[in-house]
Structure formats: structure tokens, C-alpha cells
Amino acid sequence: MMHLLIGTAGGRMANDVRHELRLADIKKIEGMRNHTRATMRKLFVELRGEVIIFDDTEAQCEIIGGFLDQATLDYRRDVCDDLLFAWWFGRAFREMAGKSCHWAILDRRWLPEPDTVPQ
């Protein structure tokens, strides 16, 4: 799930912006077809609890923070799998992503099928 969120955000992952993904689009991905609001909630809870430790060797300090700042599950149209998931990456993750070429490489290597992730 973490890679899906990062891949969806793409080059905007270091920006302090809202990212979105619909359950219907998630279900198009092989291995994720059986997800529901309840299973997605569990995944977002786990990701919200993930701790990021980034050693900024240039500044000679370690940054400790979270992967996600906040996530929302908009279930107003739950009956037709039109749940909208939105998330904001945590400040520590955004800073790490902005300073690291690792995430740029991951972003280029993890390319979902064009019809599986909305633009």
C-alpha cells in the first residue's frame, strides 16, 4: 500500500498537498480486488503509525517523524465502491523524499498500469 501511495503521488510526494485515490481504482490492481472500507481503514491505520527516521548527513542531524500526517476515507458513495481515500504525507517523509534520490528512483521504477491509478 505504501508503494501505491508513493506511486500515485509521483513527483508531488515531497509537496504538502492532498493526494487522492478511489477504491474502485485500487480494486483494479491484481491482489487488491477484495479490499473494502474496513480493510483499507486497517491499512491506513498501519501506515499512519509508521515511523520514518531520516539521517540528514548534510545537516548532521536525524529527523524522526511519520509516513502519513493524515488520511481520510470519504464513504458517502460506499454502495458503488466510489470511496475516496485522501492522504497527506508527514513532514518528515516529505523532507526525506525531497532530499533523496532513492525516492526518485523508486518513482521511476514502480510504474503502475496507466488505467490502474488515476492521474
Side-chain angles (χ1 to χ4, degrees), residues 6 8 31 35 46 88 93 107 117:
I6 291 170
T8 300
H35 278 292
E46 284 182 32
W88 292 259
F93 176 77
D107 185 39
V117 178

Side-chain angles (χ1 to χ4, degrees), residues 86-100:
W87 68 95
W88 292 259
F89 289 116
R91 191 170 86 190
F93 176 77
R94 291 191 322 267
E95 187 171 338
M96 179 181 62
K99 291 181 178 182
S100 173

